[in-house]
Amino acid sequence: MNVLLVGSGGREHALAWKLAQSPLLTKLWAAPGNPGIARHAEIADIAANDHRGLIDFCLRHSISFVVVGPEAPLVEGLADNLRTMGIGVFGPNKFPAQLEGSKGFTKDLCARENIPTAGYVRCETRDGALACLEDFGLPVVVKADGLAAGKGVTVAFTTEEAEGAIADIFSGHGASVVIEEFLEGEEASLFVLTDGTSLMPFGSAQDHKRVGEGDTGPNTGGMGAYSPAPVLTAELEARAIDEIVRPTVEALARQGNPYSGVLYAGLMLTAQGPKLIEYNARFGDPECQVLMPRLQSDLLDYFIACDRGTLGTMAAPRFSDETALTVVMAAQGYPGTPQTGGAIGGLDAAEAGGARVFQAGTRLDDGKLVASGGRVLAVTATGPDVRAAQAAAYRAVDAIDFPTGFCRRDIGWREVEREEA
Ligand code: AMP
Ligand code: GLY
């Protein structure tokens, strides 16, 4: 089977690496890809939002299956457009992808289905939102309603901060805001494959969203992650599936808009049990970079089953018991304006010790690898526990020569502290 992978980040490099190992694969293409992805796939220079261009390319190259990495094309209906043309897709259609595309859609679904999540109000005007603030204590969470690459959320510790966040949202393109109760607990990510009917747990992870050490500073797309997440015990995972994921999948199917693909539940493990913070309609980035190295089963086989509705006939996927940990190396300036063009070297030395460097924001400049985005590399290693995986990942980081880059030195710290206790 010829397969096209859509996307160009570290998540897609991890997917390309794993897909390329599939016995079901004839040829892997990637659009628009990056130099790391080009080691596993032939690159097609088509943007992820060029639906017409992607469909034409599939028809011309006998591509019968497309794996969509990022959320934006899904929220814009790429999966629907491909399916209309008879092309199989890993990823949900536009309607169910609203689970990620619209926080209001998700919160309303949770309310109807009694799914545990933070109490909320959805406001369409600035004055309405300001008035609603009075009903919440502090801290309070203010979210723009729409895709914001992890940056549309403010956890406000003062009323002034909350009012400022609301003003920002209504002064930009935003026309709708969700105000939420602050949930206390530890966050964990749960990945579940579904074909709309059957559910298949597909691993857990924890990421570090803040740019600074000790989880401080502005939010980012994620500065590092590890898998599995020991805090998400088998019992809590079962509760999250029964109380959160299954009712969501069933509600969408009942409405005639079944969800197929991976559902990524961002959970808060509160004293009352797991509560939903948000859904994503795709794998996490950098969580995917720690799931794929642990996956021992054929990824493509599961992706196809999600699309064809045959997930119920498959055995549970096998994941290694090892821990995988990834450290994101970002360009200075991130999550603000990153400094691009900085030279990157030493990747072979980093991988010589068994680590794997997934490329995110990279490009070739006169044949030389340089930084082209905020998050540039995801340096990933495995080990028998978090401490060992962390040590191996930082050994690889230290072998990389990227003077205009930076990384956090404490990825995995919570788990390392627990392991040492
Ligand atoms: P989201 O984009 O909804 O995942 O929010 C980004 C981050 O903001 C989450 O990963 C949490 O760290 C934090 N957050 C969002 N909603 C809440 C909430 N209701 N209570 C506490 N923290 C939250
Ligand atoms: N790492 C968080 C995300 O992919 O949304």
Side-chain angles (χ1 to χ4, degrees):
M1 166 183 279
N2 293 330
V3 175
L4 172 67
L5 170 66
V6 175
S8 61
R11 165 183 48 216
E12 287 76 27
H13 187 177
L15 291 174
W17 169 71
K18 195 68 198 171
L19 288 170
Q21 299 169 32
S22 174
L24 302 174
L25 185 74
T26 309
K27 174 160 182 161
L28 182 63
W29 297 86
N34 70 31
I37 294 170
R39 285 159 55 190
H40 314 287
E42 185 161 337
I43 300 298
D45 190 16
I46 310 167
N49 63 2
D50 180 2
H51 296 196
R52 174 69 62 86
L54 291 170
I55 290 168
D56 283 351
F57 188 84
C58 289
L59 298 178
R60 273 189 285 119
H61 293 85
S62 306
I63 290 165
S64 53
F65 197 75
V66 176
V67 175
V68 184
E71 62 276 15
L74 295 168
V75 170
E76 288 159 11
L78 176 61
D80 311 56
N81 293 339
L82 288 162
R83 288 190 170 111
T84 302
M85 298 303 293
I87 300 164
V89 189
F90 178 71
N93 282 344
K94 182 174 181 156
F95 187 91
Q98 288 179 86
L99 282 183
E100 173 157 10
S102 164
K103 294 192 189 293
F105 174 89
T106 301
K107 297 301 280 191
D108 291 349
L109 186 147
C110 288
R112 282 197 308 275
E113 305 297 325
N114 268 321
I115 291 171
T117 184
Y120 76 107
V121 292
R122 191 177 178 179
C123 302
E124 312 293 332
T125 66
R126 179 180 157 157
D127 288 347
L130 291 175
C132 285
L133 264 188
E134 290 168 16
D135 301 336
F136 290 83
L138 287 171
V140 64
V141 185
V142 178
K143 302 184 175 185
D145 193 10
L147 287 186
K151 296 177 200 157
V153 175
T154 303
V155 178
F157 288 86
T158 64
T159 306
E160 293 70 40
E161 249 183 290
E163 288 171 350
I166 290 170
D168 280 351
I169 288 167
F170 285 102
S171 70
H173 296 297
S176 176
V177 66
V178 170
I179 302 175
E180 265 183 32
E181 162 203 8
F182 178 79
L183 295 177
E184 219 147 332
E186 194 165 332
E187 284 180 61
S189 305
L190 172 64
F191 298 89
V192 180
L193 296 184
T194 177
D195 56 8
T197 311
S198 299
L199 301 182
M200 186 144 317
F202 209 65
S204 66
Q206 280 189 295
D207 77 340
H208 293 267
K209 289 211 170 63
R210 304 301 187 108
V211 73
E213 265 150 43
D215 297 318
T216 55
N219 255 321
T220 69
M223 294 301 291
Y226 46 95
S227 171
V231 284
L232 190 65
T233 58
E235 186 205 339
L236 289 176
E237 178 177 310
R239 270 189 76 178
I241 289 183
D242 289 342
E243 297 172 18
I244 299 174
V245 180
R246 184 170 295 112
T248 303
V249 169
E250 286 177 353
L252 289 169
R254 235 181 11 250
Q255 293 171 11
N257 289 298
Y259 185 104
S260 80
V262 62
L263 195 50
Y264 158 179
L267 303 172
M268 190 70 87
L269 305 178
T270 73
Q272 297 87 45
K275 293 193 180 183
L276 181 72
I277 299 175
E278 61 158 359
Y279 273 130
N280 294 305
R282 36 84 193 169
F283 283 106
D285 187 340
E287 289 90 333
C288 190
Q289 292 90 310
V290 286
L291 287 180
M292 292 305 125
R294 293 185 51 235
L295 179 64
Q296 294 164 330
S297 305
D298 178 16
L299 182 65
L300 185 54
D301 207 10
Y302 285 90
F303 282 5
I304 293 169
C306 288
D307 181 55
R308 294 193 181 156
T310 55
L311 204 56
T313 67
M314 310 254 312
R318 280 172 293 110
F319 283 93
S320 99
D321 291 332
E322 289 213 316
T323 294
L325 183 140
T326 191
V327 177
V328 168
M329 298 186 79
Q332 276 161 24
Y334 180 76
T337 307
Q339 182 179 341
T340 58
I344 303 163
L347 299 195
D348 289 342
E351 291 193 330
R356 205 160 288 290
V357 182
F358 294 117
Q359 298 185 28
T362 61
R363 65 178 161 83
L364 289 176
D365 193 359
D366 264 344
K368 296 211 166 55
L369 195 67
V370 300
S372 70
R375 292 188 293 170
V376 178
L377 305 171
V379 184
T380 310
T382 55
D385 55 22
V386 178
R387 202 144 55 122
Q390 184 196 54
Y394 281 111
R395 271 197 303 277
V397 164
D398 291 337
I400 292 174
D401 184 21
F402 178 27
T404 60
F406 73 96
C407 68
R408 278 179 58 170
R409 300 291 314 187
D410 65 345
I411 300 303
W413 67 269
R414 278 174 202 279
E415 215 44 60
V416 170
E417 271 182 11
R418 277 193 282 257
E419 281 174 359
E420 284 173 353

